[in-house]
Amino acid sequence: MPKIRLPDGSHKSFPGPVTVAEVARSIGAGLARAALAGKLDGRLVDTSFVIDHDAELAIVTERDPEGLEVLRHSTAHLLAHAVKELFPEAQVTIGPVIENGFYYDFAYKRPFTPEDLAAIEKRMNEIARRDIPVARKVMPRDAAVKFFRDQGELYKAEIIASIPPGEDISLYEQGNFIDLCRGPHVPSTGKLKVFKLMRLAGAYWRGDSKNEMLQRVYGTAWAKKEDQDAYLKMLEEAEKRDHRRLGKQLDLFHLQDEAPGLVFWHAKGWTLWQQVEQYMRRVYRDNGYLEVRCPMILDRSIWERTGHWENYRENMFTTASENRDYAVKPMNCPGHIQVFNQGVKSYRDLPYRLGEFGTCHRNEPSGALHGLMRARGFVQDDGHIFCTESQILGECQAFTALLQKVYRDFGFPDIIYRVSTRPDKRIGADELWDKAEAALIESLRRAGIDFQVSPGEGAFYGPKIEYSLKDAIGRVWQCGTIQVDFFMPERLGAEYVGEDNARHVPVMLHRAIVGSMERFLGILIEHHAGAFPLSLAPEQVVVMSISEHQADYAAAVAERLRADGWRAVTDLRNEKISYKIREHSLQKLPYQLVVGDKEKQAGNVAVRMRGGEDLGAMALEAFIARLRSEADALGTA
């Protein structure tokens, strides 16, 4: 006689085993119709799952985050079902849920076309309208291997054959389509109403470039049409803001095949870079950091002692000279410990804060490279704090407050906080991991900050807080981090003299605010769609002459602006002023100044704002005063 505890604390008792769907029906017909799955003692199950013991149960609907995941997982199967109906010779492989959607990989004799994609989506809608029941089946492992081989599904058979012998295999069947899956799935295809296939791509079987190339079909699925419409609109806006396109349009940077994952910064882009770097340099200075510079290449022995050679080598570029192995640094921390180790440090010197705009290189897979957002060479606003165990909490709190101010100054008030705890592959004693994780969590609690926990997502040498910001169109970007490391200082011989005159190993806090400078600049480009605020704009003002008669005056205006610290350029070409205005509008400069004979005689400038607003004529000094009033915390030059 199962007794079911519901989320509101109430109980329902049943005379015998009962399905999740039957429990939902006993609560109300509306809930029964809305039910997509159940959450039984914290585990997601199908609505057909039979409960034969006392348990806690929540009915999962489209309103729940888990419900959306079930919808997307089921839509991936709907995609595979449609492909098999249209292209019976195609073999299905895997189809997981991803952020905002799903994908499914197929093996087929020819590449799918956009027309195929449209036909597949149409068939998916037809199958959904059939409202076919979805049923879970269990089959012995060897029988499942034979079943899929007989069906010609060799990839599925290979997946199942890799499962240990003797295990039962979970399968899901909808009509004439059956697929390997742990589930859960929606009770019938009629629940799948809002979805769209997005694009085609190639993918190697099992992610190994030595294997055959498959065809990947990406899709998105939502509970409500308005949610999907908003998502598609966001994607459209994101395409307009793509930093790679804007980088070319605004002459900021370029990428080329001869330097994969590395950036060629142009003059305007480097000016933008310098606005961020110089602001961050002031942050270092004003918060007790000593800026240093360390070598890019270090001997293998250092990386062995830190644990990187064993745990991170596949991501490192290595080289050799005179029978010695070296690695190009993927991070700056070992170098900072070498700086700390020079000379005797006392407890009075702690916390000892070092900062560096350190160039790092990581051997990222070519398929993962994405403009500035993911590169092989990048610069971090890297900092390390050497402190005592008792200072960890205060330093973490102070760092979070500092990071919040920096993000606000750059126009990012919304921050998401996530604590990433110990991974399976790690170094050091669990007792120290306990202390490190507790300090990070307590620092956020004392600040009154809501946060999420990501079990197992910490670095191999320590847990961390990850700070993610939201951009103008709602996308989330993880940028900042602070990590507590009890282990690397000891491995590299860092010590300080305590109050007891004995030697002690400091705790090392790894911290970054913007993270990769390249990536942060990519975020800024897309956040502002290239229309940077005055403080960041590579060129802040353009002075344009109407004819050659005002060229000297236009040049003098620009020189006066530059003398006051503003980034001003001139356009003295013999072109129509309407052409000049249009061209510089595409460059998204904050201000355009037009000077003709009238402005020259009066010592004025005609001022146009980036959006096209005409502010009319004003004295040059009045315009400079306007610029000064618009300056913000990032500075003006």
Side-chain angles (χ1 to χ4, degrees), residues 237-254 265-266 268-269 272 372 475 521-532 538 585-588:
E237 181 63 27
E239 187 174 352
K240 295 176 186 175
R241 294 168 178 258
D242 190 303
H243 70 282
R244 295 165 298 182
R245 184 180 66 82
L246 289 170
K248 183 176 182 179
Q249 176 186 325
L250 303 180
D251 193 25
L252 302 176
F253 66 90
H254 83 272
W265 288 99
H266 299 189
K268 289 182 183 178
L272 173 63
L372 302 180
R475 294 173 299 179
L521 287 166
I523 294 167
L524 282 173
I525 293 168
E526 297 197 0
H527 177 65
H528 294 292
F532 302 108
S585 294
L586 292 174
Q587 290 298 301
K588 303 178 185 285

Side-chain angles (χ1 to χ4, degrees), residues 158-221:
E158 181 181 328
I159 294 171
I160 298 170
S162 67
I163 297 172
E167 292 196 14
D168 287 338
I169 304 301
S170 173
L171 306 174
Y172 279 82
E173 184 178 54
Q174 52 192 56
N176 59 358
F177 177 72
I178 189 166
D179 202 357
L180 167 71
C181 191
R182 288 193 302 268
H185 283 275
V186 295
S188 71
T189 61
K191 298 288 186 184
L192 309 175
K193 296 174 179 169
V194 183
F195 52 82
K196 182 176 180 59
L197 298 186
M198 304 296 292
R199 60 188 175 91
L200 295 163
Y204 291 109
W205 171 233
R206 295 188 179 273
D208 189 337
S209 60
K210 297 176 183 177
N211 292 337
E212 55 270 41
M213 178 69 76
L214 305 175
Q215 297 187 67
R216 178 168 294 177
V217 180
Y218 284 96
T220 189

Side-chain angles (χ1 to χ4, degrees), residues 92 102 252 275 347 354 367 472 604:
V92 297
F102 58 91
L252 302 176
Q275 305 321 302
Y347 69 94
L354 296 178
N604 290 341

